[in-house]
Amino acid sequence: MSGTFVGMPAFPEAAHRAVGDRTLRGNLRHATHTIRAKRAGAVAELSDWAALREAGRQIKDHALRHLERCLVQLEDAVTAAGGVVHWAADAEEANRIVTGLVKATGESEVVKVKSMATQEIGLNEALEAAGIRAYETDLAELIVQLGKDRPSHILVPAIHRNRGEIRDIFRSEMGAWGRPAPEGLTDEPAELAEASRLHLREKFLRAKVGISGANFMVAETGTLVVVESEGNGRMCLTLPETLISVVGIEKIVPTWQDLEVFLQTLPRSSTAERMNPYTSMWTGTTDGDGPDTFHLVLLDNGRTDTLADPVGRQALRCIRCSACLNVCPVYERAGGHAYGSVYPGPIGAVLTPQLRGVQSPIDASLPYASSLCGACYEVCPVAIDIPEVLVHLRERVVQGGPVTRDGAKVILKPAKGHAAERAAMRAARWVLGHPGALRTGQRLASRARRYRPRTLPGPGRAWTASRDLPALPTEPFRDWWQRTHGEDHRPAGTEGNAG
Amino acid sequence: MSSRDLILGRVRRALADVRDDTPYEQAVGRDYLLRHGRLSAGETVDLLARNLADYRAIVHRTDVRELPGTIGRLLGAHGSRNVLVPPGLPPQWMPASGPARVQDRAESTPYDLDEVDSVVTGCAVAIAETGTLVLDGSPDQGRRRVTLVPDHHICVVRVPGQVVSSVPEALSRLVPARPLTWISGPSATSDIELDRVEGVHGPRTLEVVLVSEE
Ligand code: SF4
């Protein structure tokens, strides 16, 4: 994973800042609670949800277990349908491939569909360095791009901005990127959406190159799937002459039929809709309809390293629905930026340290940015046991051990006494010092108890070095922490103003 | 070594611990439902109409004889000066008079399409449970772009023949090699404080005409 977020402070410092930002916290709480409630309703409509979830898990697991065969099959199918397949081992290679492809068209601007993979590799920055301007076309991504900001949520990246802030950004920044905001623009959502429509339409109509990711790739047929709401995706996938899709190798599903599972679980888990307004599917190129050149860039960038970890590999099942963010008491308080990666929230806390390694302070702190309450696991439509992976990664941070980096097995040193350990410890303290972030944990304590970390960082380590934490069968972790560490480890009066 | 070989080699080594010869058919338990609830054909069409309306599509019901009149009225009410019709749309669907007809030609640019007020298409299949229309680029539906750039889309669905209950039933009817567009209500965004706003880049108005087949 590239250094898109270079210079990020470790989780506890970043979270501390977020907690002090009232606007951000208010926006975030409103959003997560709204989506959470709606989602429960959308899921309840399907009586077979548990079976769909289990099928989703099995499909993804099968694809991952047979990834080599699936990828080769996909490559053949895409090629047969008129597409060109490229393989990128890391961010740098992916950026080089895409930049080269754009340059070959002679164009100096591209329109982009919201894509986490291209954010992960820092594609926009790489294109800019090559003199190519990349326009984000998803409304939230546009807000983030114009505001020179970072996304804070998988699904609604500008969730930390309220309407007044968005109006101000549009008024002051749109002109520098193209059509300026209309005179007298107010903060009405409909007006703001209209301003983005006008601003982007001129770009869509003249665009010769589109860049996208994909939600799914079907090995059997070579079909790519993009799920969206606004129609900006359709614009980028349909109008340009050249389409370049950068997709993580884990986005593969074996068969066409598998889509019947995810097209039911993804919309309901993410936007809480029966179905998102638009889904586009394309297989290579079609004469006279849509782009006549299609490039698929298959991205590794740490995914095969993640695959090598028998516990952590389940994170690759993620379909990026963002349901786990919206139920996470830690995310709600810390905000998406605190995770220092394009993947925030619970899934970010397990995916980022695996894609990037756990050596840096921010990455070492992420597995501790959780109350282990288990709510993320409960809502995950592909049943990723996030708490299990978090505990596993905590052990990696503290004890070190064998990991795979860039395809090679290496033995990780324990973080003991290093900046990484201090960051991890502070993250743990931050969570424990926010009773609100632990409240859900209490509710689900019985089921989550088995996830109690077997090894504690910092002061706790000496204690756990000689005994296993699970030897305390009934006492919840937070009670144990409070009892053994007392009040002095918790900032005074935290929850009222900081929770 | 090529990056392809490099990545595939990494995949192979990463999975060295995995022994899994389960054939795919057995690896995935498809215990979920093929559809939710047992509805008659008529009830399925009603559910489609309800779910389309729930996502702010405007639903009309008519029969084959009344269809041209209905379409003519909708175009008139929208104030359309011109209408784009895909080459394979049944000619008897359209009113004899009305707004000027526009063709989507290979040489037409997106700018030309931007001048179009309305577009009338058929569809490949409609999904009742989700309120979704699926277009597959057949001659009565045209290229993907014609239902995208103009601001007003009238989609004609033959009921009950083109209506299925569920997503699984729809997928089994579709041909993956075709470019597919699934449409559930008009373009929408919830990116600003989660307030839903219709019409960002796709058509702001989606009208669905359910035509009963005789
Ligand atoms: S981990 Fe699960 S819940 Fe979270 S984004 Fe991924 S699929 Fe959704």
Side-chain angles (χ1 to χ4, degrees):
Chain A
M1 212 158 156
S2 85
T4 317
F5 291 82
V6 164
M8 270 300 293
F11 181 83
E13 288 83 41
H16 185 73
R17 242 175 265 174
V19 165
D21 185 336
R22 284 189 160 275
T23 314
L24 183 141
R25 255 189 314 132
N27 295 351
L28 204 61
R29 174 170 308 171
H30 168 67
T32 54
H33 283 244
T34 309
I35 305 178
R36 198 195 299 184
K38 271 183 68 192
R39 177 196 168 274
V43 166
E45 264 188 27
L46 299 188
S47 55
D48 57 340
W49 187 261
L52 283 166
R53 183 180 189 238
E54 179 59 14
R57 183 185 74 78
Q58 290 172 347
I59 290 166
K60 280 288 198 172
D61 268 355
H62 188 88
L64 292 169
R65 284 162 166 248
H66 301 273
L67 191 56
E68 183 180 5
R69 196 185 69 216
C70 285
L71 287 170
V72 170
Q73 193 186 10
L74 174 81
E75 179 185 42
D76 289 347
V78 170
T79 309
V84 185
V85 177
H86 311 259
W87 300 72
D90 55 24
E92 199 207 323
E93 185 173 21
N95 288 334
R96 202 169 54 235
I97 293 169
V98 176
T99 307
L101 291 171
V102 177
K103 284 206 153 156
T105 65
E107 295 294 316
S108 59
E109 60 178 42
V110 300
V111 286
K112 280 190 70 207
V113 196
K114 173 173 179 282
S115 138
M116 306 200 65
T118 61
Q119 280 171 19
E120 174 191 321
I121 61 176
L123 178 62
N124 289 7
E125 293 77 4
L127 289 171
E128 194 174 327
I132 300 160
R133 204 163 211 203
Y135 297 113
E136 292 292 347
T137 65
D138 172 79
L139 176 51
E141 291 293 352
L142 176 72
I143 296 165
V144 168
Q145 185 174 52
L146 293 175
K148 300 176 191 69
D149 199 356
R150 287 193 306 260
S152 64
H153 190 281
I154 293 177
L155 176 73
V156 268
I159 202 165
H160 55 291
R161 297 286 197 183
N162 64 25
R163 59 184 72 189
E165 295 177 292
I166 295 168
R167 177 205 53 208
D168 295 345
I169 291 170
F170 277 14
R171 276 187 184 163
S172 63
E173 304 299 329
M174 265 186 175
W177 288 81
R179 184 171 172 153
E183 283 293 311
L185 179 69
T186 74
D187 64 1
E188 266 305 300
E191 269 192 46
L192 296 170
E194 177 69 15
S196 84
R197 177 186 176 98
L198 295 169
H199 178 79
L200 287 173
R201 182 149 284 231
E202 57 166 31
K203 299 190 169 71
F204 288 134
L205 296 183
R206 68 165 187 248
K208 295 280 185 284
V209 183
I211 295 181
S212 82
N215 294 89
F216 305 101
M217 312 186 279
V218 182
E220 173 189 47
T221 59
T223 308
L224 270 78
V225 182
V226 164
V227 167
E228 50 127 3
S229 294
E230 296 171 9
N232 65 304
R234 291 180 65 192
M235 290 276 181
C236 297
L237 300 169
T238 311
L239 296 184
E241 293 162 6
T242 300
L243 172 62
I244 304 167
S245 300
V246 183
V247 189
I249 52 176
E250 83 286 9
K251 291 292 181 82
I252 203 161
V253 298
T255 69
W256 173 252
Q257 193 193 356
D258 297 332
L259 294 176
E260 72 189 18
V261 173
F262 301 112
L263 288 180
Q264 294 191 80
T265 53
L266 177 57
R268 287 178 202 258
S269 291
S270 61
T271 52
E273 294 170 303
R274 293 188 192 102
M275 188 64 87
N276 47 286
Y278 295 131
T279 297
S280 298
M281 301 181 184
W282 71 99
T283 306
T285 55
T286 304
D287 279 344
D289 187 353
D292 46 35
T293 308
F294 169 55
H295 296 277
L296 171 60
V297 182
L298 294 172
L299 179 70
D300 180 347
N301 205 35
R303 285 158 177 77
T304 49
D305 292 342
T306 307
L307 190 66
D309 184 324
V311 178
R313 63 168 62 123
Q314 59 183 307
L316 296 174
R317 293 204 294 260
C318 176
I319 57 172
R320 314 273 189 265
C321 73
S322 75
C324 57
L325 277 62
N326 300 325
V327 296
C328 178
V330 173
Y331 172 84
E332 183 187 323
R333 281 161 187 81
H337 292 154
Y339 295 80
S341 139
V342 295
Y343 305 107
I347 183 60
V350 295
L351 197 54
T352 306
Q354 296 198 80
L355 293 175
R356 291 199 296 218
V358 291
Q359 288 91 331
S360 76
I362 173 82
D363 295 328
S365 67
L366 287 176
Y368 291 89
S370 167
S371 63
L372 299 179
C373 73
C376 48
Y377 169 71
E378 303 290 336
V379 296
C380 178
V382 284
I384 299 172
D385 198 335
I386 296 176
E388 180 188 22
V389 183
L390 284 166
V391 170
H392 171 71
L393 293 175
R394 288 180 183 193
E395 288 178 352
R396 271 286 156 283
V397 171
V398 174
Q399 299 175 337
V403 293
T404 305
R405 300 306 306 158
D406 300 324
K409 283 210 170 56
V410 292
I411 301 293
L412 196 69
K413 284 205 201 81
K416 186 179 175 177
H418 293 103
E421 186 196 29
R422 286 195 298 278
M425 212 178 70
R426 282 198 305 274
R429 282 233 184 89
W430 186 90
V431 172
L432 291 161
H434 287 74
L438 278 171
R439 208 175 289 136
T440 322
Q442 235 172 358
R443 190 158 49 74
L444 295 169
S446 56
R447 110 156 264 296
R449 191 134 324 136
R450 70 184 173 95
Y451 295 126
R452 226 151 357 114
R454 281 196 292 272
T455 312
L456 290 168
R461 196 187 48 240
W463 189 84
T464 50
S466 57
R467 69 214 87 189
D468 271 356
L469 210 49
L472 288 173
T474 50
E475 187 179 33
F477 176 58
R478 64 168 295 210
D479 295 352
W480 171 83
W481 179 276
Q482 292 233 18
R483 185 166 58 76
T484 53
H485 290 70
E487 290 300 310
D488 57 337
H489 284 274
R490 183 203 289 190
T494 38
E495 193 54 19
N497 53 15
Chain B
M1 198 186 345
S2 73
S3 292
R4 179 184 188 277
D5 294 343
L6 181 75
I7 293 170
L8 291 177
R10 286 178 181 176
V11 168
R12 217 173 301 133
R13 284 196 302 280
L15 294 169
D17 65 307
V18 175
R19 283 270 150 271
D20 180 9
D21 303 325
T22 320
Y24 183 65
E25 296 68 37
Q26 287 157 35
V28 181
R30 298 191 189 267
D31 302 330
Y32 49 86
L33 302 172
L34 188 57
R35 69 174 89 136
H36 298 87
R38 291 248 153 234
L39 301 180
S40 69
E43 289 166 337
T44 306
V45 173
D46 291 344
L47 180 64
L48 172 69
R50 266 203 314 282
N51 283 340
L52 280 165
D54 198 28
Y55 281 10
R56 321 261 170 96
I58 305 166
V59 181
H60 311 272
R61 304 183 81 149
T62 185
D63 60 24
V64 174
R65 240 171 340 106
E66 298 292 334
L67 182 58
T70 304
I71 290 178
R73 219 174 45 250
L74 298 180
L75 291 172
H78 197 257
S80 302
R81 294 154 305 165
N82 56 36
V83 55
L84 188 144
V85 180
L89 194 87
Q92 67 274 17
W93 284 8
M94 294 298 290
S97 58
R101 303 280 178 86
V102 188
Q103 293 279 316
D104 180 35
R105 297 175 204 285
E107 60 276 13
S108 318
T109 66
Y111 291 97
D112 298 330
L113 273 178
D114 202 28
E115 300 296 311
V116 172
D117 289 330
S118 297
V119 55
V120 180
T121 72
C123 79
V125 63
I127 308 167
E129 283 181 11
T130 56
T132 304
L133 313 167
V134 187
L135 276 55
D136 71 356
S138 291
D140 64 334
Q141 297 151 45
R143 291 172 238 252
R144 283 175 276 174
R145 62 188 195 175
V146 305
T147 54
L148 173 62
V149 181
D151 204 20
H152 181 215
H153 178 197
I154 300 173
C155 184
V156 179
V157 184
R158 290 174 233 195
V159 303
Q162 288 190 311
V163 184
V164 297
S165 287
S166 65
V167 171
E169 288 176 345
L171 279 161
S172 67
R173 275 206 195 185
L174 294 166
V175 180
R178 286 180 171 275
L180 301 172
T181 304
W182 298 43
I183 300 173
S184 310
S187 153
T189 184
S190 301
D191 281 346
I192 303 162
E193 295 183 18
L194 299 179
D195 268 6
R196 188 175 166 106
V197 177
E198 263 87 38
V200 193
H201 305 298
R204 274 179 281 207
T205 310
L206 172 66
E207 302 204 66
V208 184
V209 184
L210 306 177
V211 190
S212 55
E213 297 160 311
E214 273 144 336

